[in-house]
Amino acid sequence: MHQQAKNAQKLFYVFVFIYGLFANPSESITPEVEQLIRSWSPLIWLHSEERFLPSTVEFFLPEVTIQDEQSILVQDYVTPETLIGGENSSVLHMQTREPLDCPACYNLDVFFGQSINNGSVPVYTIYREYDDAFNTLDVSYFAFYPYNRGKDACVGVPVNGSCVGAEKNLGNHVGDWEHNALRFRNGQPYIFHLNVHSFGSYYLWNESTNNFHFFLGEEVRTAVDQDNEPVEIEERYEPKYPPTVELIGTHPVVYSANGSHGLWGSPGMAWTTWDNLIIIPWLPSNTSYEGNLNWLNFLGDWGNSAEGCEYEIVTGECELGSGPSGPRSKVDFPDPQPKTSFSLNF
């Protein structure tokens, strides 16, 4: 079974490359498509003890500047309309105006986000239509959090469930984009992607049981070598993905991990995302968004540069990791085949 999953994953990335040569996304939204997007937006259960809430982009950007790889100021007083973008922005990162007291400290008010009551925080929803044999529609639902809280880890010697030596809080980072995605075929759900940071899992729609069933999961574990290059290590992290993703009505129900916000399919505060969706058409990478969507053109890291990396060579994590990339860097599904093909490959 493990080998089958690995083979399926390899085929997935082959499809991403090949079918991308033929896809032709359409440019306008219809009432039917908008209804699908809203009807199937997720219900996100935030943890009952969650302190680091989501926010709007407008809430976060005034608290950061843009810096280059040498931490030289490139842009000050950032707004969604003025944030630098384009290919050259891929080497830049955001940096909080006020310094952190320590790499694992969260002493800035902006980190605690905004209340989700009354639809006050939007979910940024990017949709893409294809002119293929199945009238494919891909929808990605993005939530932004100003801060991701990491986990305590033993950097000493674990003995019988205890840690002999030091413990450190690792994996924190400023800025956190979490999302899930849904592919429709002929107006019906087909496959659901549950994103958990840099990995995730895929669930196929089962009409007879009215839920999504686990299809393929990713297992990821990397560290860095002495040249600061990522390498696989023997102790791989194998997430235990839930077997199904259930619905309330037509809304997939997902659960956000406390502090780190990774989206899992197995509650707390109910975030009814359909109360505030900002619906955004997909654009190819050589086309820029404008106006209050200009911020989508920023291709750098949405958070501070990494600090406190003394244990990274062992754990693969810093106390403060670098910020995540933004929505335009995410690819959840391979592009469908051209209209002349009726292959069932997703």
Side-chain angles (χ1 to χ4, degrees), residues 83-274:
L83 176 60
I84 190 171
E87 185 176 345
N88 292 337
S89 69
S90 63
V91 297
L92 305 178
H93 69 272
M94 298 181 182
Q95 190 77 17
T96 53
R97 291 183 174 279
E98 299 296 325
L100 306 188
D101 290 342
C102 68
C105 292
Y106 47 91
N107 52 288
L108 303 184
D109 290 343
V110 66
F111 288 170
F112 298 96
Q114 297 173 286
S115 170
I116 60 172
N117 294 335
N118 303 315
S120 57
V121 176
V123 168
Y124 301 97
T125 307
I126 298 178
Y127 74 95
R128 183 178 184 181
E129 296 180 79
Y130 295 89
D131 184 22
D132 70 318
F134 300 101
N135 298 309
T136 298
L137 168 67
D138 288 346
V139 185
S140 296
Y141 300 92
F142 287 91
F144 179 73
Y145 300 78
Y147 186 71
N148 175 95
R149 188 65 180 163
K151 304 298 181 186
D152 291 334
C154 178
V155 294
V157 179
V159 177
N160 297 326
S162 299
C163 181
V164 178
E167 282 191 338
K168 288 285 186 180
N169 187 276
L170 303 175
N172 307 289
H173 53 85
V174 177
D176 187 20
W177 281 105
E178 298 293 345
H179 78 287
N180 53 58
L182 184 55
R183 166 162 285 185
F184 297 89
R185 282 182 167 179
N186 295 320
Q188 298 298 318
Y190 178 62
I191 191 166
F192 183 73
H193 181 223
L194 197 60
N195 173 260
V196 187
H197 301 307
S198 61
F199 51 94
S201 54
Y202 293 87
Y203 291 78
L204 289 173
W205 174 246
N206 188 314
E207 188 171 1
S208 63
T209 57
N210 199 47
N211 60 6
F212 293 93
H213 286 216
F214 179 80
F215 168 62
L216 175 67
E218 298 168 298
E219 53 179 31
V220 178
R221 193 70 175 95
T222 60
V224 295
D225 62 19
Q226 293 181 349
D227 295 320
N228 204 36
E229 294 295 328
V231 294
E232 289 194 5
I233 60 178
E234 292 183 1
E235 184 184 355
R236 296 176 62 82
Y237 178 52
E238 300 185 15
K240 293 183 179 179
Y241 295 108
T244 62
V245 173
E246 303 297 333
L247 306 181
I248 288 183
T250 55
H251 300 286
V253 180
V254 297
Y255 299 86
S256 177
N258 188 20
S260 63
H261 313 127
L263 297 177
W264 300 87
S266 21
M269 295 177 282
W271 186 4
T272 52
T273 62
W274 52 93

Side-chain angles (χ1 to χ4, degrees), residues 283-300:
L283 292 179
S285 59
N286 61 355
T287 305
S288 296
Y289 289 92
E290 298 179 350
N292 60 3
L293 295 179
N294 168 73
W295 58 268
L296 282 162
N297 303 320
F298 179 72
L299 303 180

Side-chain angles (χ1 to χ4, degrees), residues 294-337:
N294 168 73
W295 58 268
L296 282 162
N297 303 320
F298 179 72
L299 303 180
D301 293 340
W302 281 71
N304 292 21
S305 56
E307 296 182 56
C309 298
E310 294 84 357
Y311 300 99
E312 187 183 16
I313 194 168
V314 176
T315 65
E317 297 276 8
C318 299
E319 290 182 76
L320 182 71
S322 56
S325 56
R328 295 193 84 173
S329 68
K330 315 300 182 186
V331 178
D332 295 291
F333 304 117
D335 291 345
Q337 296 192 48

